[in-house]
Amino acid sequence: MQYAPRVDHKENDMIRNFVGRTLIVTGAARGIGLALAKRLLNEGARVHACDIDEMDPADVQPGLILHRIDVCDETAVSGFFNELKSAGETIDGLVNNAAILDATPFDKLSSQRFREVLDVNLEGTLTFIRHAVPVLKGAERPVIVNVASIMGMFGSRASIPYSSAKGAIVNLTRCLAADLSPQGILVNAVAPGFIETRMSKLPDGSSEYATEDFQDVYLKHGRLPIGRVGQPEEIAGPICFLLSADAAYVTGQVLLVDGGVSAVF
């Protein structure tokens, strides 16, 4: 059976439509956030890369401005945006990608853990947006993109905190699109499917996508129509579309980038 192959984008394949634009990416130290930051840099943008973790020095490139920020620390987030305002920087876009995964079974889930996951994945997103809006209003074409998940669209076992937070981000995106449109700010989201990142690693270091259960259910029985898991770069592209002028009439939408899982769910 012939499946759609992975496309490895090269720098000279990119359309440089972010020249002169400055964007913020949270959770940018690795995975989807890092792939997006690199893609934006290759397309001419300046990128403020925010993460609670340090970025690998090998990934640091010219035009990438690093910030160690916990999205749950409102004082730190406020200070970050105050610095941008003091420097007179115009921010053209914000991508809320910072998140933590949780796979706690219902009978072992504590209120504290539920709150921790929502604090990072949901409230951290809203905190960044609240502080970003006054800065974004100065941009010619301001845009916000939230990273949701297909786990926020459908039910799944042992996924209450994570799926609840991502589901809330879906409707947060829709509500913000309505609230912020009078200020000219577009708000959309992407919902990735099975993507090979640090989040997909099991405690022993192996990939959850290499397990017999995943291979059987999603690959052998066709519940992942494209026939393979995705790579972070394959989420970066759709996010760039939503950040670009090509999406100037798109707001309040959730773009599922999942290899077709939702089509046969």
Side-chain angles (χ1 to χ4, degrees), residues 17-35:
N17 58 355
F18 292 102
V19 174
R21 299 188 72 198
T22 300
L23 300 112
I24 298 170
V25 180
T26 70
R30 55 187 53 82
I32 292 171
L34 177 60

Side-chain angles (χ1 to χ4, degrees), residues 175-187:
C175 292
L176 284 169
D179 284 343
L180 297 181
S181 61
Q183 300 176 54
I185 301 174
L186 304 178
V187 188

